[in-house]
Amino acid sequence: MEDKLEEDAPIYRLLSINRVSKMLGIRHANVKKLISKGKIKGIEISEKRIMISYQNLLDFLKGETANNENQNNKTISIEETERKIDLLFKKYENI
């Protein structure tokens, strides 16, 4: 069971906009534009900080856009992020 948690871990890893810009070889401002246009799904960490999960970056690279869930929602709210984290903890608490 512990191996499963380790397999899932990189998918849920959060990357800064700066890190993603370096990985993609594009400017910081262009990553922000991709988030605002809904091409990459951002995760709102605080009012001023948005990060990108590794999975969301992979989805972007595969050509899947963030618009699948909601056309107007470019980022995941703090509350939604907390809910998803709680679900992950519950899923793996008995490992």
Side-chain angles (χ1 to χ4, degrees):
M1 222 30 168
E2 197 168 307
D3 292 334
K4 179 68 175 147
L5 179 59
E6 290 175 11
E7 288 174 14
D8 289 347
I11 293 172
Y12 299 108
R13 180 176 178 199
L14 295 179
L15 306 167
S16 67
I17 292 175
N18 212 21
R19 174 79 175 167
V20 171
S21 70
K22 289 177 183 175
M23 291 171 78
L24 298 177
I26 62 175
R27 296 180 61 173
H28 184 274
N30 289 336
V31 175
K32 289 177 108 176
K33 284 181 189 176
L34 288 169
I35 293 169
S36 69
K37 289 181 179 181
K39 302 291 184 183
I40 299 177
K41 185 82 166 186
I43 299 172
E44 188 178 333
I45 302 300
S46 67
E47 290 182 24
K48 295 183 179 183
R49 186 168 172 109
I50 295 174
M51 296 187 80
I52 300 162
S53 74
Y54 188 74
Q55 181 63 55
N56 290 346
L57 180 60
L58 289 176
D59 291 345
F60 167 72
L61 293 172
K62 290 179 196 172
E64 301 171 15
T65 64
N67 293 337
N68 294 342
E69 285 184 30
N70 185 342
Q71 293 286 356
N72 297 323
N73 190 10
K74 311 298 193 287
T75 61
I76 300 171
S77 70
I78 294 170
E79 293 80 16
E80 181 67 14
T81 302
E82 289 172 348
R83 188 183 70 75
K84 288 184 177 190
I85 290 170
D86 287 343
L87 288 173
L88 280 173
F89 279 127
K90 286 177 185 175
K91 181 178 177 182
Y92 293 108
E93 71 183 0
N94 293 326
I95 293 179

